[in-house]
């Protein structure tokens, strides 16, 4: 889709701090991280949300496990929230399917603190390089 932000990121027309790429999916750091290493994983093809086409989940599966393992190994995340907002009333703001991988650390654990932003300001391209390994 020509006016879709995440299609443009997938195509490289808008820069992102990429942590993963394969034939079907791309992973990159969220520009407004809730917690350090907050990553978005998206299918290369445009699909509005995760309830549009069941096969789109398969397209993310390898990336999901790969990125999750790297967030543990590279950043020392001791937990990861994996979630996807489907529909505006669920909080979806970009209508190209994406899964959030939100690393969690022992100093701010639990669901109650999920939305309490604690990521410090840092260079996201350097952080992406650290995650890629
Ligand atoms: P949603 O609210 O749709 O579940 O999540 C959209 C996410 O995209 C938000 O967490 C937001 O910070 C992130 N986001 C919005 N614009 C950009 C952008 O231009 N680049 C990146 N990397 N993330 C973005
Ligand atoms: Zn798109």
């Amino acid at each position: 889709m020509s006016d879709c932000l995440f299609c443009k990121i997938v195509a490289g027309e808008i820069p992102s701090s990429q942590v993963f790429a394969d034939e079907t999916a791309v992973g990159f750091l969220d520009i407004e991280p809730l917690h350090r290493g907050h990553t978005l994983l998206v299918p290369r093809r445009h699909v509005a949300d995760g309830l549009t086409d069941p096969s789109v989940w398969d397209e993310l599966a390898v990336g999901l496990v790969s990125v999750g393992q790297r967030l543990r190994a590279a950043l020392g995340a001791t937990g990861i929230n994996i979630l996807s907002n489907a529909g505006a009333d669920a909080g979806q703001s970009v209508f190209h399917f994406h899964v959030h991988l939100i690393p969690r650390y022992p100093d701010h654990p639990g669901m109650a603190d999920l939305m309490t932003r604690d990521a410090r300001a840092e260079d996201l391209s350097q952080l992406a390089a650290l995650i890629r390994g």
Side-chain angles (χ1 to χ4, degrees):
M1 279 230 319
S2 57
D3 62 347
C4 170
L5 173 64
F6 287 173
C7 280
K8 289 179 179 164
I9 286 179
V10 167
E13 294 165 13
I14 290 177
S16 69
S17 299
Q18 198 172 102
V19 300
F20 177 86
D22 69 6
E23 305 82 48
T24 53
V26 175
F28 52 90
L29 294 178
D30 196 300
I31 46 166
E32 291 188 62
L34 287 170
H35 299 270
R36 186 174 191 235
H38 182 168
T39 296
L40 302 173
L41 185 67
V42 310
R44 286 187 179 274
R45 66 182 170 112
H46 183 87
V47 176
D49 61 44
L51 299 179
T52 303
D53 172 358
S55 64
V56 77
W57 290 91
D58 296 343
E59 296 166 26
L60 298 193
V62 169
L64 189 65
V65 173
S66 173
V67 172
Q69 289 181 350
R70 288 301 302 155
L71 294 173
R72 281 177 168 165
L75 302 188
T78 50
I80 300 176
N81 294 107
I82 298 164
L83 66 92
S84 186
N85 300 323
D89 287 345
Q92 185 175 8
S93 60
V94 179
F95 293 88
H96 179 132
F97 176 42
H98 50 283
V99 172
H100 296 255
L101 290 98
I102 306 173
R104 305 299 302 277
Y105 305 94
D107 54 345
H108 292 100
M111 283 293 284
D113 268 357
L114 174 61
M115 302 301 288
T116 307
R117 202 177 292 281
D118 79 342
R120 60 179 183 254
E122 67 182 308
D123 184 324
L124 291 183
S125 62
Q126 284 182 11
L127 182 61
L130 179 64
I131 295 167
R132 289 194 305 271

